[in-house]
């Protein structure tokens, strides 16, 4: 998939059925490359997400002299260079659409001996970076951004970093991870406290690479000067990609879908909790642990959903799933209210505004608020929705067609390839009447 003119057109109706394995977890895929590159020895990854975002991370490490074989059907072999083995790239690192790559790399690169510039596409170039550059600078890092704190970022190497204790003002796994990665290079202990639980893949994976992480309550600490030892990583399917099928199956009468080998890390399962609160019919099967991460097959059957006030403690646990959940709310009986989710305004797009606009186009009453949205459930009509190049907005509206009264067309869908290569084909196989246009 390429070209910003890429459009989806989806015929109304249908149902989802069968067993679906969605691609690998994006967050875990990024981290597997980063830690594998910095480890001593050879790390073998399976289930790697061959999406543009995680491939941007992979390319960045190749540009810094790391030999990486693959990806080949999700298999990647990383020949680690050790914590101090990276080389200066001979051009800026282009991180495309990927905020995770840029924010985590800001921390990781702050401790190197060389300078690096990091750039991104139009969306990434609008995203706030002070949330990482400010605490990193208190550790001794020197990173310059634009006057408004956005990319490109210039990381000046050769700085001596020292550990800090940092209380994050927002619940962000990217900020936490960025500081912990800088902490690997810092003198002393780096501790990060979060106002609410966020995904803990960095902490789990560091431990998997033999690096000690002290975790107490809402605080995670690392002490600089250790080493990472290569390991094997089995990346589970991404619950954030599975979420579109979970919502699609919930809203489309007669649906019965099993999503296989999905990561169900407790810091990621807000979408399951929220759909269940709305009356969703979701069963976890074959729960197991794979490489330090909990995994299950998730069976979802159609259900009569009802609107809810979404508990604020679920927001960080479902932060990437709200575009899909808003479609569930649009199909539910009654009103759904989301609060405490201002972070949605600084994702790949302003997901509150863009979703509200799209819902209104297809005839759903949706009122944006500064930190959330109020959605009146009812019927979905037809129309042309602008995804604003946001992968998750595009996939969410694709699922809305299952309950629409007519054709749904979605513009600017090329970025679906950042997180979900093969979405159209997989969705077709499951029963969505989706086609590419444009
Ligand atoms: C991510 C953390 C989240 C999430 C993003 C991936 C990560 O971002 O939205 O898609 O891999 O750490 P924030 O930390 O900004 O909430």
């Amino acid at each position: 998939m390429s070209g910003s003119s890429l459009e989806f057109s989806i015929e109304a109706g249908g149902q989802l059925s069968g067993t679906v394995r969605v691609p690998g977890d994006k967050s875990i895929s990024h981290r597997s490359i980063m830690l594998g590159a910095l480890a001593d020895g050879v790390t073998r990854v399976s289930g790697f997400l061959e999406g543009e975002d995680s491939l941007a991370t992979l390319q960045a490490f190749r540009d810094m002299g790391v030999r990486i074989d693959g990806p080949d059907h999700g298999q990647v072999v990383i020949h680690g260079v050790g914590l101090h083995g990276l080389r200066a790239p001979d051009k800026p690192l282009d991180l495309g659409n990927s905020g995770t790559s840029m924010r985590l790399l800001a921390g990781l690169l702050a401790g190197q001996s060389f300078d690096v510039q990091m750039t991104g596409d139009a969306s990434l170039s609008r995203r706030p970076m002070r949330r990482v550059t400010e605490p990193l600078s208190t550790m001794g890092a020197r990173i310059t951004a634009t006057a408004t704190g956005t990319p490109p970022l210039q990381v000046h190497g050769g700085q001596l970093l020292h550990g800090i204790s940092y209380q994050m003002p927002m619940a962000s796994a990217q900020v936490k991870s960025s500081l912990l990665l800088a902490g690997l290079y810092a003198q002393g202990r780096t501790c990060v406290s979060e106002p609410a639980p966020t995904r803990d893949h960095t902490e789990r994976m560091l431990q998997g690479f033999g690096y000690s992480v002290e975790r107490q309550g809402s605080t995670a600490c690392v002490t600089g000067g250790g080493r990472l030892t290569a390991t094997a990583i089995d990346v589970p399917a991404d619950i954030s990609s599975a979420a579109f099928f979970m919502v699609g199956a919930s809203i489309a009468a007669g649906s019965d879908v099993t999503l296989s080998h999905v990561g169900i890390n407790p810091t990621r399962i807000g979408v399951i909790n929220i759909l269940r609160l709305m009356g969703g019919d979701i069963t976890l099967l074959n729960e197991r642990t794979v490489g330090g991460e909990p995994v299950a097959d998730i069976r979802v059957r159609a259900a009569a959903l009802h609107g809810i006030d979404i508990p604020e403690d679920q927001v960080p646990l479902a932060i990437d799933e709200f575009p899909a959940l808003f479609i569930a709310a649009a199909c539910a009986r009654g009103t759904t209210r989301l609060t405490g989710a201002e972070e949605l305004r600084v994702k790949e797009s302003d997901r509150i505004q863009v979703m509200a606009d799209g819902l209104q186009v297809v005839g759903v009453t949706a009122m944006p608020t500064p930190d959330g949205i109020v959605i009146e459930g009812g019927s979905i009509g037809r129309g042309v929705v602008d995804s604003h190049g946001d992968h998750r907005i595009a996939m969410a509206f694709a699922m809305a067609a299952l309950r629409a009264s007519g054709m749904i067309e979605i513009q600017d869908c090329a970025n679906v390839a950042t997180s979900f290569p093969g979405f159209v084909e997989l969705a077709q196989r499951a029963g969505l009447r989706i086609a590419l246009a444009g």
Side-chain angles (χ1 to χ4, degrees):
M1 271 184 244
S2 70
S4 64
S5 62
L6 197 76
E7 290 177 16
F8 292 166
S9 63
I10 312 104
E11 282 174 42
Q15 62 188 46
L16 300 184
S17 62
T19 299
V20 176
R21 172 131 182 190
V22 301
D25 187 279
K26 183 152 74 72
S27 294
I28 298 175
S29 294
H30 281 299
R31 289 158 171 82
S32 71
I33 297 290
M34 294 179 189
L35 299 192
L38 299 180
D40 295 317
V42 175
T43 289
R44 288 172 202 282
V45 184
S46 57
F48 181 78
L49 169 65
E50 297 184 34
E52 288 167 3
D53 277 12
S54 39
L55 290 173
T57 292
L58 186 153
Q59 186 57 43
F61 281 88
R62 277 194 180 136
D63 290 349
M64 292 188 287
V66 181
R67 181 176 154 207
I68 303 175
D69 306 328
D72 178 14
H73 297 90
Q75 309 282 326
V76 179
V77 179
I78 308 158
H79 300 261
V81 296
L83 275 166
H84 299 281
L86 296 178
R87 288 204 314 261
D90 53 21
K91 56 182 190 308
L93 302 178
D94 178 3
L95 301 170
N97 195 242
S98 179
T100 308
S101 306
M102 192 173 285
R103 294 203 179 111
L104 270 57
L105 278 174
L108 192 156
L109 296 175
Q112 307 301 322
S113 58
F114 50 83
D115 294 355
V116 190
Q117 197 185 10
M118 294 193 284
T119 62
D121 69 4
S123 157
L124 182 52
S125 299
R126 283 192 294 269
R127 297 184 66 186
M129 292 294 147
R130 283 192 187 128
R131 55 182 59 203
V132 290
T133 57
E134 284 179 356
L136 287 170
S137 73
T138 70
M139 295 178 74
R142 223 157 61 74
I143 305 176
T144 40
T146 64
T148 50
T150 53
L153 294 186
Q154 180 78 35
V155 185
H156 304 275
Q159 314 299 315
L160 202 63
L161 303 186
H162 51 84
I164 57 167
S165 285
Y166 186 65
Q167 175 72 55
M168 285 194 293
M170 79 288 282
S172 167
Q174 291 180 353
V175 175
K176 172 177 63 174
S177 302
S178 183
L179 301 185
L180 292 177
L181 291 172
L184 303 181
Y185 293 93
Q187 282 183 332
R189 228 154 76 106
T190 300
C191 294
V192 187
S193 303
E194 49 192 12
T198 68
R199 65 193 69 192
D200 65 353
H201 305 301
T202 302
E203 299 91 304
R204 286 175 190 250
M205 202 183 285
L206 279 170
Q207 288 169 315
F209 277 86
Y211 208 102
S212 162
V213 180
E214 294 162 64
R215 297 214 252 177
Q216 223 175 43
S218 60
T219 303
C221 305
V222 295
T223 300
R227 58 194 284 269
L228 300 167
T229 306
T231 185
I233 296 173
D234 176 353
V235 182
D238 197 330
I239 191 169
S240 298
S241 297
F244 302 106
F245 291 85
M246 294 172 64
V247 167
S250 295
I251 63 175
S255 294
D256 185 350
V257 162
T258 299
L259 295 146
S260 55
H261 205 72
V262 181
I264 53 159
N265 181 310
T267 61
R268 296 286 298 280
I269 56 169
V271 62
I272 296 175
N273 300 337
I274 292 168
L275 279 176
R276 280 181 170 160
L277 288 172
M278 297 176 78
D281 180 352
I282 302 174
T283 315
L284 300 185
L285 306 163
N286 304 321
E287 289 189 52
R288 56 211 184 260
T289 302
V290 176
E293 290 278 353
V295 168
D297 304 323
I298 305 178
R299 183 173 182 190
V300 187
R301 282 173 278 196
L305 301 181
H306 54 82
I308 58 166
D309 289 353
I310 297 173
E312 288 197 6
D313 64 1
Q314 294 299 311
V315 170
L317 312 183
I319 194 66
D320 291 337
E321 287 65 76
F322 284 108
L325 286 166
F326 293 174
I327 299 301
C331 297
R333 182 171 38 81
T335 306
T336 296
R337 286 182 204 82
L338 173 67
T339 54
E342 50 278 289
E343 277 293 304
L344 292 181
R345 292 200 177 270
V346 290
K347 292 295 178 188
E348 286 84 329
S349 70
D350 175 345
R351 287 184 174 159
I352 291 174
Q353 193 60 49
V354 173
M355 282 302 299
D357 291 346
L359 286 168
Q360 284 158 10
V361 164
V362 297
V364 176
T365 304
M367 279 250 310
T369 65
D371 69 338
I373 195 166
V374 182
I375 297 171
E376 303 296 340
S379 54
I380 295 180
R382 58 184 301 159
V384 182
V385 171
D386 186 349
S387 78
H388 286 256
D390 186 324
H391 55 141
R392 300 201 196 281
I393 305 259
M395 291 185 276
F397 276 105
M399 291 298 169
L402 290 161
R403 282 279 291 271
S405 64
M407 185 82 107
I408 300 279
E409 287 163 89
I410 309 167
Q411 298 172 325
D412 203 357
C413 296
N415 280 337
V416 166
T418 61
S419 67
F420 202 145
F423 170 73
V424 168
E425 298 74 13
L426 208 59
Q428 279 170 347
R429 247 185 285 144
L432 194 69
R433 297 164 184 166
I434 183 169
L436 283 180

